[in-house]
Amino acid sequence: METVKAKNKTFKKLGFTYLETAEIVVALNTLLANYQVFYNKLRNFHWNIEGPEFFELHEEFENEYNTTKKNIDIVAERIRVFGVKPNFTLKKTLELSDLEEPTMELSAIEMVREVLRDFETMHNNMLDGINASLETGDVVTEQILTDFLTHLEKRNWMFTSYLK
């Protein structure tokens, strides 16, 4: 077991060095930022949906932001496992995120399309994290991200089917 000192604190890592996990932590920080922006977008969609799709999408956006909220905590805690603090101000979150907030009001169908675009971005982000984890032999992060990816792909299918 390796011991690393950082600012007078000692972190024990189970078999990984700081350098070995650097690429994983970068991918996780990006995912954390993406999830936080996605969560905010979903809350806004949930509150502001109008029209005949209201009841169905209001509930689906709530389901999605509840899952996202859980995943945010899992990602942040995984970053901590590697001895890094995920200190995220709103400004830093927006700088790190690959997702953007809508600049205008969206219809219900446009909201679903926005969710699907965000799914694609986060899918690629998760694959980056999975690849970095596999290269390092970090099966725990790989499993966490694979579980996220499994859920995301199913939800992508459901939201895509909704648009047809």
Side-chain angles (χ1 to χ4, degrees):
M1 198 165 12
E2 178 181 87
T3 302
V4 177
K5 288 197 179 224
K7 294 186 181 181
N8 299 325
K9 293 189 181 195
T10 302
F11 298 98
K12 292 184 180 175
K13 298 194 170 66
L14 300 175
F16 298 109
T17 67
Y18 178 79
L19 289 176
E20 287 172 328
T21 60
E23 190 177 346
I24 297 167
V25 170
V26 167
L28 291 176
N29 274 325
T30 302
L31 182 59
L32 183 59
N34 286 340
Y35 265 145
Q36 290 184 102
V37 171
F38 188 58
Y39 177 81
N40 191 63
K41 288 168 76 170
L42 290 165
R43 292 301 301 232
N44 280 313
F45 292 170
H46 172 76
W47 294 325
N48 295 309
I49 186 85
E50 293 181 332
E53 301 90 349
F54 173 82
F55 287 105
E56 185 174 9
L57 289 178
H58 182 77
E59 186 175 335
E60 289 307 316
F61 292 147
E62 183 174 1
N63 291 338
E64 201 61 41
Y65 74 65
N66 283 330
T67 298
T68 300
K69 180 181 173 185
K70 289 176 190 170
N71 291 356
I72 286 169
D73 198 51
I74 292 168
V75 172
E77 289 176 354
R78 189 65 188 160
I79 292 167
R80 287 295 311 198
V81 164
F82 299 121
V84 179
K85 288 186 178 181
N87 283 332
F88 276 79
T89 62
L90 290 176
K91 181 180 178 181
K92 184 173 181 180
T93 296
L94 291 171
E95 287 171 1
L96 286 177
S97 178
D98 298 320
L99 305 183
E100 295 181 7
E101 297 179 304
T103 56
M104 58 187 198
E105 191 172 318
L106 302 177
S107 70
I109 298 302
E110 290 168 331
M111 289 176 183
V112 172
R113 286 187 182 120
E114 185 78 9
V115 166
L116 289 169
R117 279 190 295 275
D118 290 351
F119 278 168
E120 185 175 340
T121 299
M122 290 189 299
H123 183 273
N124 292 335
N125 181 206
M126 289 176 198
L127 285 176
D128 290 343
I130 288 169
N131 289 330
S133 298
L134 289 172
E135 288 173 15
T136 305
D138 175 12
V139 296
V140 174
T141 302
E142 183 270 331
Q143 184 62 57
I144 289 168
L145 296 177
T146 298
D147 290 346
F148 290 174
L149 202 58
T150 301
H151 176 80
L152 184 140
E153 288 180 351
K154 182 175 182 179
R155 295 297 286 171
N156 186 75
W157 157 63
M158 291 176 166
F159 277 110
T160 299
S161 294
Y162 180 85
L163 291 178
K164 294 187 178 198

